[in-house]
């Protein structure tokens, strides 16, 4: 029997991989998008695990919405990325430094 | 449990402004497709009319008894209605300022207006959201529209880069916020704010079982701080403000702040008010860091949009100070500060836009040189705005800071108030620098103002209000206090 804490540990590991990935990644912006997806996957795991063990459907409904929003978010992210490639000719993180910060 | 998800159409009136706005967005979007070039202006007027009608609807719902509909996920109360009216009003003003800029810089497209309307819809859902799900959805409608709005100047490398930065950091913030929400849901067993509040009020906060509540709370605070742009989660603010087209910066720096504060109130005050002692500590650190960094780093800026970004960060610090106090009058002072901040920020960016011309972005402080010779009236307006932002009486910015500090001191945080005042004085330097270059330096460029009369008129009213409301602040203060 897989217990609730196993799910929570799994989701926190995924969450940390996503978060660390964003901060150590210095090469490609697509990797950043993948890391964001990992964070959302961790959130979804959390919601479903809680929902199952609480016997409450609200968490699973929440996950449907997160999935939908995540799809829209990636669509916009990739669109912006295409624009960046058009004006810069590269999608490396390093080229996005004309604004200091 | 079964009748929890019933759907009662007789309660739909409480969401009337949102429903109307959504229909209006669809109409504007479709109509814009069929408009030929000479009639493109119609989209702008249609947008203003839609906003106006939505505003009237929201205004009529003020003073209705508190109503919670859609199975506890949508609330109508005075705070929601007043915030909505205020947001719609500021959006309309922002649109008046924007139109001229859009025409001059070839950004006048139908999508621009649809995206603005969509983000207003998202913000209205946010201020009325009473479950974690509605709050999240409202936030995402807002954020997704804003990412696109920034990237609308698609030939400008700076704008695209700003959009990308905002997108990545916004997505991280949403992720953190959601992670916190999942924790709160897991421990309280509900996503409704009412149930969460009941749970938090009865929970033994010191026990090990509720540790996860604290854990979730930290993530929620980080997510909210990201959206507000508080230090140390402020990295996106200066870059996005600088990179985005000025018209978008104007919108971005004003109205969404109201929605972010509303979300803060819903989650932290309404929902987790019982845990105030826990989140107030976090807020104190964020507020002091924001005020300090916002005031000091702004000293080194030469770009006016970046400077105003850092000034926003320090204003956000003051707003957060109001929430540290944990008393209703403190929250009221914070909401009053938000109103004042929006009024000042609209006028400040309005004047920056005013100086724009075809092919010329007036975004350097040096572009303000000698403004008093060319346009004494608008130089005076800018003077009013800058003095108000610096917190000089009798302008409204002084009262806003004064009430926050008064509440902070009466809540017993004297050191905090002293630190805030010291940095407010430091920040006065850069506001005065702009005044100096307007009045005491000679212009090396030709600055003639080509903006249309309607914009000049609204901008003048906006700036005069800063003075008038500063002299008679009673109404706004009473209004802000009545919201809690």
């Amino acid at each position: 029997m897989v217990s609730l804490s196993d799910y929570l540990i799994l989701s926190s590991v995924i969450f940390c991989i996503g978060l660390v990935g964003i901060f150590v990644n210095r090469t490609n912006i697509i990797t950043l998008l993948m890391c964001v997806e990992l964070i959302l996957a961790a959130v979804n795991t959390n919601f479903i695990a809680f929902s199952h063990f609480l016997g409450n459907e609200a968490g699973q409904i929440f996950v449907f919405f997160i999935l939908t929003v995540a799809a829209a978010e990636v669509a916009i992210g990739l669109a912006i990325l295409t624009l960046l490639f058009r004006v810069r000719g590269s999608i490396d993180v390093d080229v996005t430094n004309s604004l200091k910060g | 449990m079964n009748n929890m998800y019933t759907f009662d159409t007789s309660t739909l009136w409480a969401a009337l402004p949102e429903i109307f706005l959504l229909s209006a967005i669809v109409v504007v979007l479709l109509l814009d497709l069929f408009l030929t070039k000479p009639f493109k202006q119609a989209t702008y007027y249609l947008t203003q009319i839609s906003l106006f009608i939505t505003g009237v609807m929201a205004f009529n719902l003020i003073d209705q008894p508190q109503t919670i509909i859609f199975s506890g996920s949508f609330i109508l109360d005075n705070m929601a209605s007043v915030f909505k009216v205020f947001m719609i009003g500021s959006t309309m003003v922002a649109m008046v300022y924007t139109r001229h800029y859009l025409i001059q810089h070839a950004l006048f497209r139908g999508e621009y207006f649809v995206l603005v309307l969509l983000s207003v819809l998202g913000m209205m859902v946010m201020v009325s959201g009473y479950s974690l799900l509605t709050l999240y959805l409202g936030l995402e409608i807002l954020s997704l529209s804003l990412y696109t709005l920034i990237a609308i100047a698609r030939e400008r490398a700076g704008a695209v880069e700003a959009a990308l930065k905002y997108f990545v950091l916004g997505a991280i913030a949403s992720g953190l916020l959601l992670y916190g929400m999942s924790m709160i849901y897991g421990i309280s067993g509900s996503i409704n704010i009412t149930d969460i509040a009941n749970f938090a009020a009865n929970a033994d906060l010191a026990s090990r079982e509720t540790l996860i509540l604290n854990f979730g709370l930290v993530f929620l605070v980080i997510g909210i701080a990201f959206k507000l742009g508080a230090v140390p989660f402020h990295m996106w603010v200066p870059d996005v403000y600088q990179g985005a087209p000025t018209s978008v910066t104007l919108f971005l720096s004003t109205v969404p702040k109201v929605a972010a504060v509303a979300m803060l109130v819903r989650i932290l005050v309404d929902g987790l008010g019982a845990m105030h002692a826990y989140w107030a500590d976090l807020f104190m650190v964020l507020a002091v860091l924001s005020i300090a960094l916002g005031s000091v780093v702004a000293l080194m800026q030469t770009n006016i949009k970046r400077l105003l970004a850092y000034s926003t960060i320090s204003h956000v610090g003051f707003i957060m100070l109001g929430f540290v106090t944990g008393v209703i009058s403190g929250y009221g002072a914070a909401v009053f500060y938000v109103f004042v901040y929006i009024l000042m920020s609209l006028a400040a960016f309005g004047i920056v836009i005013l100086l724009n011309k075809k092919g010329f972005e007036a975004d350097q402080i040096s572009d303000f040189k000698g403004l008093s010779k060319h346009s004494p009236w608008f130089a005076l307006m800018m003077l009013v705005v800058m003095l108000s932002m610096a917190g000089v009486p009798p302008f409204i910015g002084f009262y806003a800071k004064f009430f926050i500090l008064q509440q902070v001191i009466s809540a017993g945080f004297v050191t905090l108030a002293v630190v805030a005042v010291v940095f407010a004085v430091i920040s006065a330097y850069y506001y005065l620098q702009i005044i100096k270059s307007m009045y005491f330096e000679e212009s090396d460029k030709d600055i003639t103002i080509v903006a249309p009369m309607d914009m000049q008129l609204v901008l003048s009213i906006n700036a005069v209000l800063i003075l008038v409301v500063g002299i008679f602040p009673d109404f706004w203060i009473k209004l802000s206090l009545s919201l809690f």
Side-chain angles (χ1 to χ4, degrees), chain A residues 12 15 22 29 33 40 43 46-47 50-51 56 59 62 65 69 73 77 83-84 87-88 96-100, chain B residues 133 136-137 140 144 148 154 157 160-161 164-165 167 171-172 175-176 178-179 182 185-186 189 219 239 306:
Chain A
S12 59
F15 183 81
I22 287 170
I29 294 174
L33 292 181
L40 292 179
V43 171
N46 247 353
F47 265 115
F50 279 130
S51 171
N56 174 321
F62 210 131
F65 281 96
V69 171
E73 205 161 21
L83 285 181
L84 188 77
V87 294
R88 280 280 157 76
T96 59
N97 54 9
S98 74
L99 306 170
K100 44 192 165 157
Chain B
L133 182 55
Y136 170 66
L137 287 180
E140 286 299 314
L144 294 184
T148 330
R154 57 183 173 220
V160 176
E161 196 181 311
L164 190 79
K165 276 193 179 154
F167 170 77
I172 300 170
L176 293 172
L178 276 175
Y179 201 65
S182 74
Y185 165 68
F219 281 102
D239 289 352
R306 254 188 123 76

Side-chain angles (χ1 to χ4, degrees), chain A residues 66-89:
Chain A
I66 296 177
L67 288 174
T68 321
V69 171
E73 205 161 21
V74 168
I76 289 179
L78 289 176
I80 296 175
L81 209 57
T82 323
L83 285 181
L84 188 77
F85 184 74
R86 221 182 267 162
V87 294
R88 280 280 157 76

